[in-house]
mmCIF file with all atom_site columns, all heavy atoms in Angstrom:
data_model
loop_
_atom_site.group_PDB
_atom_site.id
_atom_site.type_symbol
_atom_site.label_atom_id
_atom_site.label_alt_id
_atom_site.label_comp_id
_atom_site.label_asym_id
_atom_site.label_entity_id
_atom_site.label_seq_id
_atom_site.pdbx_PDB_ins_code
_atom_site.Cartn_x
_atom_site.Cartn_y
_atom_site.Cartn_z
_atom_site.occupancy
_atom_site.B_iso_or_equiv
_atom_site.pdbx_formal_charge
_atom_site.auth_seq_id
_atom_site.auth_comp_id
_atom_site.auth_asym_id
_atom_site.auth_atom_id
_atom_site.pdbx_PDB_model_num
ATOM 1   N N   . SER A 1 1  ? 116.967 121.381 99.005  1.00 80.00 ? 995  SER A N   1
ATOM 2   C CA  . SER A 1 1  ? 117.453 121.348 100.515 1.00 80.00 ? 995  SER A CA  1
ATOM 3   C C   . SER A 1 1  ? 116.149 121.678 101.367 1.00 80.00 ? 995  SER A C   1
ATOM 4   O O   . SER A 1 1  ? 116.279 121.571 102.487 1.00 80.00 ? 995  SER A O   1
ATOM 5   C CB  . SER A 1 1  ? 118.475 122.481 100.663 1.00 80.00 ? 995  SER A CB  1
ATOM 6   O OG  . SER A 1 1  ? 117.869 123.759 100.409 1.00 80.00 ? 995  SER A OG  1
ATOM 7   N N   . GLY A 1 2  ? 114.956 121.949 100.739 1.00 79.00 ? 996  GLY A N   1
ATOM 8   C CA  . GLY A 1 2  ? 113.778 122.111 101.646 1.00 79.00 ? 996  GLY A CA  1
ATOM 9   C C   . GLY A 1 2  ? 113.491 123.512 101.979 1.00 79.00 ? 996  GLY A C   1
ATOM 10  O O   . GLY A 1 2  ? 112.539 123.770 102.821 1.00 79.00 ? 996  GLY A O   1
ATOM 11  N N   . LEU A 1 3  ? 114.129 124.479 101.390 1.00 77.00 ? 997  LEU A N   1
ATOM 12  C CA  . LEU A 1 3  ? 113.931 125.866 101.654 1.00 77.00 ? 997  LEU A CA  1
ATOM 13  C C   . LEU A 1 3  ? 112.567 126.328 101.086 1.00 77.00 ? 997  LEU A C   1
ATOM 14  O O   . LEU A 1 3  ? 112.080 127.307 101.682 1.00 77.00 ? 997  LEU A O   1
ATOM 15  C CB  . LEU A 1 3  ? 115.051 126.766 101.170 1.00 77.00 ? 997  LEU A CB  1
ATOM 16  C CG  . LEU A 1 3  ? 116.438 126.518 101.870 1.00 77.00 ? 997  LEU A CG  1
ATOM 17  C CD1 . LEU A 1 3  ? 117.478 127.350 101.208 1.00 77.00 ? 997  LEU A CD1 1
ATOM 18  C CD2 . LEU A 1 3  ? 116.327 126.912 103.419 1.00 77.00 ? 997  LEU A CD2 1
ATOM 19  N N   . LEU A 1 4  ? 112.136 125.701 100.098 1.00 79.00 ? 998  LEU A N   1
ATOM 20  C CA  . LEU A 1 4  ? 110.833 126.248 99.427  1.00 79.00 ? 998  LEU A CA  1
ATOM 21  C C   . LEU A 1 4  ? 109.623 125.402 99.894  1.00 79.00 ? 998  LEU A C   1
ATOM 22  O O   . LEU A 1 4  ? 108.509 125.609 99.425  1.00 79.00 ? 998  LEU A O   1
ATOM 23  C CB  . LEU A 1 4  ? 110.894 126.097 97.936  1.00 79.00 ? 998  LEU A CB  1
ATOM 24  C CG  . LEU A 1 4  ? 112.124 126.959 97.308  1.00 79.00 ? 998  LEU A CG  1
ATOM 25  C CD1 . LEU A 1 4  ? 112.119 126.711 95.726  1.00 79.00 ? 998  LEU A CD1 1
ATOM 26  C CD2 . LEU A 1 4  ? 111.960 128.350 97.707  1.00 79.00 ? 998  LEU A CD2 1
ATOM 27  N N   . GLY A 1 5  ? 109.765 124.569 100.917 1.00 76.00 ? 999  GLY A N   1
ATOM 28  C CA  . GLY A 1 5  ? 108.702 123.773 101.472 1.00 76.00 ? 999  GLY A CA  1
ATOM 29  C C   . GLY A 1 5  ? 108.055 124.438 102.556 1.00 76.00 ? 999  GLY A C   1
ATOM 30  O O   . GLY A 1 5  ? 108.111 125.626 102.749 1.00 76.00 ? 999  GLY A O   1
ATOM 31  N N   . GLY A 1 6  ? 107.470 123.743 103.454 1.00 77.00 ? 1000 GLY A N   1
ATOM 32  C CA  . GLY A 1 6  ? 106.698 124.239 104.570 1.00 77.00 ? 1000 GLY A CA  1
ATOM 33  C C   . GLY A 1 6  ? 107.679 124.653 105.666 1.00 77.00 ? 1000 GLY A C   1
ATOM 34  O O   . GLY A 1 6  ? 108.795 124.659 105.546 1.00 77.00 ? 1000 GLY A O   1
ATOM 35  N N   . GLY A 1 7  ? 107.024 125.071 106.737 1.00 75.00 ? 1001 GLY A N   1
ATOM 36  C CA  . GLY A 1 7  ? 107.850 125.664 108.006 1.00 75.00 ? 1001 GLY A CA  1
ATOM 37  C C   . GLY A 1 7  ? 108.670 124.415 108.561 1.00 75.00 ? 1001 GLY A C   1
ATOM 38  O O   . GLY A 1 7  ? 109.812 124.801 109.069 1.00 75.00 ? 1001 GLY A O   1
ATOM 39  N N   . LYS A 1 8  ? 108.153 123.252 108.681 1.00 80.00 ? 1002 LYS A N   1
ATOM 40  C CA  . LYS A 1 8  ? 108.860 122.234 109.299 1.00 80.00 ? 1002 LYS A CA  1
ATOM 41  C C   . LYS A 1 8  ? 110.171 121.875 108.389 1.00 80.00 ? 1002 LYS A C   1
ATOM 42  O O   . LYS A 1 8  ? 111.218 121.682 108.969 1.00 80.00 ? 1002 LYS A O   1
ATOM 43  C CB  . LYS A 1 8  ? 108.087 120.940 109.518 1.00 80.00 ? 1002 LYS A CB  1
ATOM 44  C CG  . LYS A 1 8  ? 106.986 121.092 110.553 1.00 80.00 ? 1002 LYS A CG  1
ATOM 45  C CD  . LYS A 1 8  ? 106.127 119.916 110.720 1.00 80.00 ? 1002 LYS A CD  1
ATOM 46  C CE  . LYS A 1 8  ? 105.043 120.170 111.697 1.00 80.00 ? 1002 LYS A CE  1
ATOM 47  N NZ  . LYS A 1 8  ? 104.236 118.945 111.936 1.00 80.00 ? 1002 LYS A NZ  1
ATOM 48  N N   . GLU A 1 9  ? 109.954 121.789 107.057 1.00 80.00 ? 1003 GLU A N   1
ATOM 49  C CA  . GLU A 1 9  ? 111.083 121.523 106.216 1.00 80.00 ? 1003 GLU A CA  1
ATOM 50  C C   . GLU A 1 9  ? 112.050 122.616 106.279 1.00 80.00 ? 1003 GLU A C   1
ATOM 51  O O   . GLU A 1 9  ? 113.176 122.397 106.243 1.00 80.00 ? 1003 GLU A O   1
ATOM 52  C CB  . GLU A 1 9  ? 110.567 121.358 104.793 1.00 80.00 ? 1003 GLU A CB  1
ATOM 53  C CG  . GLU A 1 9  ? 109.698 120.169 104.576 1.00 80.00 ? 1003 GLU A CG  1
ATOM 54  C CD  . GLU A 1 9  ? 109.191 120.094 103.163 1.00 80.00 ? 1003 GLU A CD  1
ATOM 55  O OE1 . GLU A 1 9  ? 109.133 121.109 102.457 1.00 80.00 ? 1003 GLU A OE1 1
ATOM 56  O OE2 . GLU A 1 9  ? 108.607 119.001 102.811 1.00 80.00 ? 1003 GLU A OE2 1
ATOM 57  N N   . GLY A 1 10 ? 111.656 123.882 106.382 1.00 76.00 ? 1004 GLY A N   1
ATOM 58  C CA  . GLY A 1 10 ? 112.462 124.952 106.475 1.00 76.00 ? 1004 GLY A CA  1
ATOM 59  C C   . GLY A 1 10 ? 113.294 124.993 107.819 1.00 76.00 ? 1004 GLY A C   1
ATOM 60  O O   . GLY A 1 10 ? 114.518 125.324 107.799 1.00 76.00 ? 1004 GLY A O   1
ATOM 61  N N   . SER A 1 11 ? 112.676 124.594 108.910 1.00 78.00 ? 1005 SER A N   1
ATOM 62  C CA  . SER A 1 11 ? 113.547 124.463 110.112 1.00 78.00 ? 1005 SER A CA  1
ATOM 63  C C   . SER A 1 11 ? 114.481 123.408 110.032 1.00 78.00 ? 1005 SER A C   1
ATOM 64  O O   . SER A 1 11 ? 115.604 123.519 110.704 1.00 78.00 ? 1005 SER A O   1
ATOM 65  C CB  . SER A 1 11 ? 112.582 124.521 111.360 1.00 78.00 ? 1005 SER A CB  1
ATOM 66  O OG  . SER A 1 11 ? 111.548 123.713 111.294 1.00 78.00 ? 1005 SER A OG  1
ATOM 67  N N   . VAL A 1 12 ? 114.165 122.376 109.446 1.00 81.00 ? 1006 VAL A N   1
ATOM 68  C CA  . VAL A 1 12 ? 115.146 121.183 109.194 1.00 81.00 ? 1006 VAL A CA  1
ATOM 69  C C   . VAL A 1 12 ? 116.330 121.679 108.464 1.00 81.00 ? 1006 VAL A C   1
ATOM 70  O O   . VAL A 1 12 ? 117.479 121.396 108.739 1.00 81.00 ? 1006 VAL A O   1
ATOM 71  C CB  . VAL A 1 12 ? 114.450 119.970 108.660 1.00 81.00 ? 1006 VAL A CB  1
ATOM 72  C CG1 . VAL A 1 12 ? 115.452 118.999 108.201 1.00 81.00 ? 1006 VAL A CG1 1
ATOM 73  C CG2 . VAL A 1 12 ? 113.400 119.413 109.649 1.00 81.00 ? 1006 VAL A CG2 1
ATOM 74  N N   . ALA A 1 13 ? 116.063 122.423 107.304 1.00 80.00 ? 1007 ALA A N   1
ATOM 75  C CA  . ALA A 1 13 ? 117.106 122.945 106.405 1.00 80.00 ? 1007 ALA A CA  1
ATOM 76  C C   . ALA A 1 13 ? 117.977 123.990 107.261 1.00 80.00 ? 1007 ALA A C   1
ATOM 77  O O   . ALA A 1 13 ? 119.256 123.949 107.059 1.00 80.00 ? 1007 ALA A O   1
ATOM 78  C CB  . ALA A 1 13 ? 116.481 123.533 105.307 1.00 80.00 ? 1007 ALA A CB  1
ATOM 79  N N   . LEU A 1 14 ? 117.372 124.752 108.178 1.00 78.00 ? 1008 LEU A N   1
ATOM 80  C CA  . LEU A 1 14 ? 118.177 125.745 108.889 1.00 78.00 ? 1008 LEU A CA  1
ATOM 81  C C   . LEU A 1 14 ? 119.061 124.998 109.911 1.00 78.00 ? 1008 LEU A C   1
ATOM 82  O O   . LEU A 1 14 ? 120.225 125.413 110.119 1.00 78.00 ? 1008 LEU A O   1
ATOM 83  C CB  . LEU A 1 14 ? 117.215 126.713 109.608 1.00 78.00 ? 1008 LEU A CB  1
ATOM 84  C CG  . LEU A 1 14 ? 117.838 127.698 110.447 1.00 78.00 ? 1008 LEU A CG  1
ATOM 85  C CD1 . LEU A 1 14 ? 118.647 128.669 109.595 1.00 78.00 ? 1008 LEU A CD1 1
ATOM 86  C CD2 . LEU A 1 14 ? 116.731 128.546 111.163 1.00 78.00 ? 1008 LEU A CD2 1
ATOM 87  N N   . ALA A 1 15 ? 118.533 124.002 110.502 1.00 82.00 ? 1009 ALA A N   1
ATOM 88  C CA  . ALA A 1 15 ? 119.336 123.112 111.399 1.00 82.00 ? 1009 ALA A CA  1
ATOM 89  C C   . ALA A 1 15 ? 120.444 122.540 110.650 1.00 82.00 ? 1009 ALA A C   1
ATOM 90  O O   . ALA A 1 15 ? 121.734 122.432 111.202 1.00 82.00 ? 1009 ALA A O   1
ATOM 91  C CB  . ALA A 1 15 ? 118.536 122.108 112.151 1.00 82.00 ? 1009 ALA A CB  1
ATOM 92  N N   . ARG A 1 16 ? 120.233 122.012 109.471 1.00 83.00 ? 1010 ARG A N   1
ATOM 93  C CA  . ARG A 1 16 ? 121.369 121.383 108.742 1.00 83.00 ? 1010 ARG A CA  1
ATOM 94  C C   . ARG A 1 16 ? 122.426 122.576 108.285 1.00 83.00 ? 1010 ARG A C   1
ATOM 95  O O   . ARG A 1 16 ? 123.639 122.228 108.390 1.00 83.00 ? 1010 ARG A O   1
ATOM 96  C CB  . ARG A 1 16 ? 120.849 120.735 107.517 1.00 83.00 ? 1010 ARG A CB  1
ATOM 97  C CG  . ARG A 1 16 ? 120.318 119.398 107.661 1.00 83.00 ? 1010 ARG A CG  1
ATOM 98  C CD  . ARG A 1 16 ? 119.953 118.740 106.463 1.00 83.00 ? 1010 ARG A CD  1
ATOM 99  N NE  . ARG A 1 16 ? 118.816 119.596 105.819 1.00 83.00 ? 1010 ARG A NE  1
ATOM 100 C CZ  . ARG A 1 16 ? 118.194 119.321 104.713 1.00 83.00 ? 1010 ARG A CZ  1
ATOM 101 N NH1 . ARG A 1 16 ? 118.558 118.291 103.929 1.00 83.00 ? 1010 ARG A NH1 1
ATOM 102 N NH2 . ARG A 1 16 ? 117.221 120.094 104.255 1.00 83.00 ? 1010 ARG A NH2 1
ATOM 103 N N   . ALA A 1 17 ? 121.961 123.603 107.992 1.00 80.00 ? 1011 ALA A N   1
ATOM 104 C CA  . ALA A 1 17 ? 122.932 124.807 107.642 1.00 80.00 ? 1011 ALA A CA  1
ATOM 105 C C   . ALA A 1 17 ? 123.719 125.199 108.859 1.00 80.00 ? 1011 ALA A C   1
ATOM 106 O O   . ALA A 1 17 ? 124.876 125.415 108.805 1.00 80.00 ? 1011 ALA A O   1
ATOM 107 C CB  . ALA A 1 17 ? 122.106 125.859 107.073 1.00 80.00 ? 1011 ALA A CB  1
ATOM 108 N N   . LYS A 1 18 ? 123.054 125.313 109.922 1.00 81.00 ? 1012 LYS A N   1
ATOM 109 C CA  . LYS A 1 18 ? 123.802 125.734 111.212 1.00 81.00 ? 1012 LYS A CA  1
ATOM 110 C C   . LYS A 1 18 ? 124.740 124.691 111.584 1.00 81.00 ? 1012 LYS A C   1
ATOM 111 O O   . LYS A 1 18 ? 125.878 124.954 112.097 1.00 81.00 ? 1012 LYS A O   1
ATOM 112 C CB  . LYS A 1 18 ? 122.799 125.809 112.410 1.00 81.00 ? 1012 LYS A CB  1
ATOM 113 C CG  . LYS A 1 18 ? 122.049 127.196 112.396 1.00 81.00 ? 1012 LYS A CG  1
ATOM 114 C CD  . LYS A 1 18 ? 121.152 127.278 113.586 1.00 81.00 ? 1012 LYS A CD  1
ATOM 115 C CE  . LYS A 1 18 ? 120.399 128.528 113.662 1.00 81.00 ? 1012 LYS A CE  1
ATOM 116 N NZ  . LYS A 1 18 ? 119.401 128.642 114.796 1.00 81.00 ? 1012 LYS A NZ  1
ATOM 117 N N   . ALA A 1 19 ? 124.572 123.421 111.335 1.00 85.00 ? 1013 ALA A N   1
ATOM 118 C CA  . ALA A 1 19 ? 125.538 122.345 111.620 1.00 85.00 ? 1013 ALA A CA  1
ATOM 119 C C   . ALA A 1 19 ? 126.676 122.276 110.481 1.00 85.00 ? 1013 ALA A C   1
ATOM 120 O O   . ALA A 1 19 ? 127.757 121.922 110.895 1.00 85.00 ? 1013 ALA A O   1
ATOM 121 C CB  . ALA A 1 19 ? 124.866 121.010 111.712 1.00 85.00 ? 1013 ALA A CB  1
ATOM 122 N N   . ALA A 1 20 ? 126.414 122.748 109.257 1.00 83.00 ? 1014 ALA A N   1
ATOM 123 C CA  . ALA A 1 20 ? 127.449 122.591 108.283 1.00 83.00 ? 1014 ALA A CA  1
ATOM 124 C C   . ALA A 1 20 ? 128.228 123.797 108.045 1.00 83.00 ? 1014 ALA A C   1
ATOM 125 O O   . ALA A 1 20 ? 129.410 123.609 107.701 1.00 83.00 ? 1014 ALA A O   1
ATOM 126 C CB  . ALA A 1 20 ? 126.702 122.155 106.929 1.00 83.00 ? 1014 ALA A CB  1
ATOM 127 N N   . VAL A 1 21 ? 127.743 124.982 108.407 1.00 82.00 ? 1015 VAL A N   1
ATOM 128 C CA  . VAL A 1 21 ? 128.490 126.116 108.064 1.00 82.00 ? 1015 VAL A CA  1
ATOM 129 C C   . VAL A 1 21 ? 129.831 126.343 108.816 1.00 82.00 ? 1015 VAL A C   1
ATOM 130 O O   . VAL A 1 21 ? 130.881 126.609 108.269 1.00 82.00 ? 1015 VAL A O   1
ATOM 131 C CB  . VAL A 1 21 ? 127.579 127.481 108.054 1.00 82.00 ? 1015 VAL A CB  1
ATOM 132 C CG1 . VAL A 1 21 ? 128.314 128.658 108.012 1.00 82.00 ? 1015 VAL A CG1 1
ATOM 133 C CG2 . VAL A 1 21 ? 126.606 127.273 106.936 1.00 82.00 ? 1015 VAL A CG2 1
ATOM 134 N N   . PRO A 1 22 ? 129.735 126.301 110.130 1.00 82.00 ? 1016 PRO A N   1
ATOM 135 C CA  . PRO A 1 22 ? 131.000 126.478 110.986 1.00 82.00 ? 1016 PRO A CA  1
ATOM 136 C C   . PRO A 1 22 ? 132.136 125.497 110.561 1.00 82.00 ? 1016 PRO A C   1
ATOM 137 O O   . PRO A 1 22 ? 133.255 126.026 110.397 1.00 82.00 ? 1016 PRO A O   1
ATOM 138 C CB  . PRO A 1 22 ? 130.593 126.288 112.414 1.00 82.00 ? 1016 PRO A CB  1
ATOM 139 C CG  . PRO A 1 22 ? 129.143 126.471 112.413 1.00 82.00 ? 1016 PRO A CG  1
ATOM 140 C CD  . PRO A 1 22 ? 128.603 126.173 111.173 1.00 82.00 ? 1016 PRO A CD  1
ATOM 141 N N   . PRO A 1 23 ? 131.925 124.238 110.399 1.00 84.00 ? 1017 PRO A N   1
ATOM 142 C CA  . PRO A 1 23 ? 133.077 123.493 109.917 1.00 84.00 ? 1017 PRO A CA  1
ATOM 143 C C   . PRO A 1 23 ? 133.650 123.840 108.614 1.00 84.00 ? 1017 PRO A C   1
ATOM 144 O O   . PRO A 1 23 ? 134.820 123.913 108.388 1.00 84.00 ? 1017 PRO A O   1
ATOM 145 C CB  . PRO A 1 23 ? 132.580 121.936 109.856 1.00 84.00 ? 1017 PRO A CB  1
ATOM 146 C CG  . PRO A 1 23 ? 131.360 122.043 110.729 1.00 84.00 ? 1017 PRO A CG  1
ATOM 147 C CD  . PRO A 1 23 ? 130.773 123.368 110.728 1.00 84.00 ? 1017 PRO A CD  1
ATOM 148 N N   . ALA A 1 24 ? 132.697 124.245 107.704 1.00 83.00 ? 1018 ALA A N   1
ATOM 149 C CA  . ALA A 1 24 ? 133.188 124.624 106.407 1.00 83.00 ? 1018 ALA A CA  1
ATOM 150 C C   . ALA A 1 24 ? 133.998 125.978 106.390 1.00 83.00 ? 1018 ALA A C   1
ATOM 151 O O   . ALA A 1 24 ? 135.095 126.094 105.717 1.00 83.00 ? 1018 ALA A O   1
ATOM 152 C CB  . ALA A 1 24 ? 131.932 124.870 105.452 1.00 83.00 ? 1018 ALA A CB  1
ATOM 153 N N   . VAL A 1 25 ? 133.533 126.895 107.212 1.00 82.00 ? 1019 VAL A N   1
ATOM 154 C CA  . VAL A 1 25 ? 134.165 128.107 107.392 1.00 82.00 ? 1019 VAL A CA  1
ATOM 155 C C   . VAL A 1 25 ? 135.583 127.845 108.023 1.00 82.00 ? 1019 VAL A C   1
ATOM 156 O O   . VAL A 1 25 ? 136.666 128.528 107.557 1.00 82.00 ? 1019 VAL A O   1
ATOM 157 C CB  . VAL A 1 25 ? 133.481 129.192 108.153 1.00 82.00 ? 1019 VAL A CB  1
ATOM 158 C CG1 . VAL A 1 25 ? 134.233 130.377 108.585 1.00 82.00 ? 1019 VAL A CG1 1
ATOM 159 C CG2 . VAL A 1 25 ? 132.159 129.545 107.351 1.00 82.00 ? 1019 VAL A CG2 1
ATOM 160 N N   . GLU A 1 26 ? 135.709 126.972 108.939 1.00 83.00 ? 1020 GLU A N   1
ATOM 161 C CA  . GLU A 1 26 ? 136.978 126.732 109.587 1.00 83.00 ? 1020 GLU A CA  1
ATOM 162 C C   . GLU A 1 26 ? 137.998 126.007 108.624 1.00 83.00 ? 1020 GLU A C   1
ATOM 163 O O   . GLU A 1 26 ? 139.148 126.419 108.604 1.00 83.00 ? 1020 GLU A O   1
ATOM 164 C CB  . GLU A 1 26 ? 136.782 125.722 110.782 1.00 83.00 ? 1020 GLU A CB  1
ATOM 165 C CG  . GLU A 1 26 ? 137.967 125.459 111.526 1.00 83.00 ? 1020 GLU A CG  1
ATOM 166 C CD  . GLU A 1 26 ? 137.758 124.472 112.668 1.00 83.00 ? 1020 GLU A CD  1
ATOM 167 O OE1 . GLU A 1 26 ? 136.486 124.548 113.259 1.00 83.00 ? 1020 GLU A OE1 1
ATOM 168 O OE2 . GLU A 1 26 ? 138.607 123.670 113.106 1.00 83.00 ? 1020 GLU A OE2 1
ATOM 169 N N   . GLU A 1 27 ? 137.382 125.136 107.788 1.00 86.00 ? 1021 GLU A N   1
ATOM 170 C CA  . GLU A 1 27 ? 138.313 124.517 106.795 1.00 86.00 ? 1021 GLU A CA  1
ATOM 171 C C   . GLU A 1 27 ? 138.783 125.589 105.759 1.00 86.00 ? 1021 GLU A C   1
ATOM 172 O O   . GLU A 1 27 ? 139.962 125.566 105.416 1.00 86.00 ? 1021 GLU A O   1
ATOM 173 C CB  . GLU A 1 27 ? 137.537 123.472 106.054 1.00 86.00 ? 1021 GLU A CB  1
ATOM 174 C CG  . GLU A 1 27 ? 138.219 122.720 104.977 1.00 86.00 ? 1021 GLU A CG  1
ATOM 175 C CD  . GLU A 1 27 ? 137.293 121.592 104.284 1.00 86.00 ? 1021 GLU A CD  1
ATOM 176 O OE1 . GLU A 1 27 ? 136.504 121.166 104.941 1.00 86.00 ? 1021 GLU A OE1 1
ATOM 177 O OE2 . GLU A 1 27 ? 137.706 121.433 103.116 1.00 86.00 ? 1021 GLU A OE2 1
ATOM 178 N N   . TRP A 1 28 ? 137.855 126.484 105.343 1.00 82.00 ? 1022 TRP A N   1
ATOM 179 C CA  . TRP A 1 28 ? 138.365 127.560 104.404 1.00 82.00 ? 1022 TRP A CA  1
ATOM 180 C C   . TRP A 1 28 ? 139.362 128.475 105.034 1.00 82.00 ? 1022 TRP A C   1
ATOM 181 O O   . TRP A 1 28 ? 140.273 128.865 104.267 1.00 82.00 ? 1022 TRP A O   1
ATOM 182 C CB  . TRP A 1 28 ? 137.052 128.403 103.903 1.00 82.00 ? 1022 TRP A CB  1
ATOM 183 C CG  . TRP A 1 28 ? 136.126 127.531 103.037 1.00 82.00 ? 1022 TRP A CG  1
ATOM 184 C CD1 . TRP A 1 28 ? 136.383 126.473 102.321 1.00 82.00 ? 1022 TRP A CD1 1
ATOM 185 C CD2 . TRP A 1 28 ? 134.772 127.913 102.757 1.00 82.00 ? 1022 TRP A CD2 1
ATOM 186 N NE1 . TRP A 1 28 ? 135.289 126.001 101.625 1.00 82.00 ? 1022 TRP A NE1 1
ATOM 187 C CE2 . TRP A 1 28 ? 134.277 126.912 101.936 1.00 82.00 ? 1022 TRP A CE2 1
ATOM 188 C CE3 . TRP A 1 28 ? 133.965 128.923 103.365 1.00 82.00 ? 1022 TRP A CE3 1
ATOM 189 C CZ2 . TRP A 1 28 ? 132.987 126.888 101.535 1.00 82.00 ? 1022 TRP A CZ2 1
ATOM 190 C CZ3 . TRP A 1 28 ? 132.725 128.840 102.790 1.00 82.00 ? 1022 TRP A CZ3 1
ATOM 191 C CH2 . TRP A 1 28 ? 132.106 127.931 101.951 1.00 82.00 ? 1022 TRP A CH2 1
ATOM 192 N N   . THR A 1 29 ? 139.219 128.835 106.278 1.00 84.00 ? 1023 THR A N   1
ATOM 193 C CA  . THR A 1 29 ? 140.207 129.733 106.836 1.00 84.00 ? 1023 THR A CA  1
ATOM 194 C C   . THR A 1 29 ? 141.480 129.084 106.966 1.00 84.00 ? 1023 THR A C   1
ATOM 195 O O   . THR A 1 29 ? 142.579 129.738 106.812 1.00 84.00 ? 1023 THR A O   1
ATOM 196 C CB  . THR A 1 29 ? 139.690 130.253 108.243 1.00 84.00 ? 1023 THR A CB  1
ATOM 197 O OG1 . THR A 1 29 ? 139.471 129.019 109.093 1.00 84.00 ? 1023 THR A OG1 1
ATOM 198 C CG2 . THR A 1 29 ? 138.431 131.093 108.193 1.00 84.00 ? 1023 THR A CG2 1
ATOM 199 N N   . LYS A 1 30 ? 141.558 127.764 107.243 1.00 84.00 ? 1024 LYS A N   1
ATOM 200 C CA  . LYS A 1 30 ? 142.839 126.966 107.247 1.00 84.00 ? 1024 LYS A CA  1
ATOM 201 C C   . LYS A 1 30 ? 143.441 127.014 105.871 1.00 84.00 ? 1024 LYS A C   1
ATOM 202 O O   . LYS A 1 30 ? 144.655 127.104 105.734 1.00 84.00 ? 1024 LYS A O   1
ATOM 203 C CB  . LYS A 1 30 ? 142.634 125.717 107.793 1.00 84.00 ? 1024 LYS A CB  1
ATOM 204 C CG  . LYS A 1 30 ? 142.480 125.603 109.290 1.00 84.00 ? 1024 LYS A CG  1
ATOM 205 C CD  . LYS A 1 30 ? 142.167 124.188 109.760 1.00 84.00 ? 1024 LYS A CD  1
ATOM 206 C CE  . LYS A 1 30 ? 141.897 124.105 111.282 1.00 84.00 ? 1024 LYS A CE  1
ATOM 207 N NZ  . LYS A 1 30 ? 141.632 122.707 111.674 1.00 84.00 ? 1024 LYS A NZ  1
ATOM 208 N N   . TYR A 1 31 ? 142.596 126.739 104.919 1.00 85.00 ? 1025 TYR A N   1
ATOM 209 C CA  . TYR A 1 31 ? 143.040 126.692 103.507 1.00 85.00 ? 1025 TYR A CA  1
ATOM 210 C C   . TYR A 1 31 ? 143.671 128.015 103.060 1.00 85.00 ? 1025 TYR A C   1
ATOM 211 O O   . TYR A 1 31 ? 144.724 127.996 102.529 1.00 85.00 ? 1025 TYR A O   1
ATOM 212 C CB  . TYR A 1 31 ? 141.987 126.210 102.631 1.00 85.00 ? 1025 TYR A CB  1
ATOM 213 C CG  . TYR A 1 31 ? 142.348 126.034 101.112 1.00 85.00 ? 1025 TYR A CG  1
ATOM 214 C CD1 . TYR A 1 31 ? 143.175 125.027 100.749 1.00 85.00 ? 1025 TYR A CD1 1
ATOM 215 C CD2 . TYR A 1 31 ? 142.016 127.076 100.217 1.00 85.00 ? 1025 TYR A CD2 1
ATOM 216 C CE1 . TYR A 1 31 ? 143.463 124.921 99.388  1.00 85.00 ? 1025 TYR A CE1 1
ATOM 217 C CE2 . TYR A 1 31 ? 142.375 126.984 98.918  1.00 85.00 ? 1025 TYR A CE2 1
ATOM 218 C CZ  . TYR A 1 31 ? 143.174 125.843 98.455  1.00 85.00 ? 1025 TYR A CZ  1
ATOM 219 O OH  . TYR A 1 31 ? 143.456 125.792 97.232  1.00 85.00 ? 1025 TYR A OH  1
#
């Protein structure tokens, strides 16, 4: 996922996580 790479790869991975986590949490709470 790019967490062990450089700073740019880490910020891209953080942006992906910020975009993916809220919908997943919403789905789990409904489930």
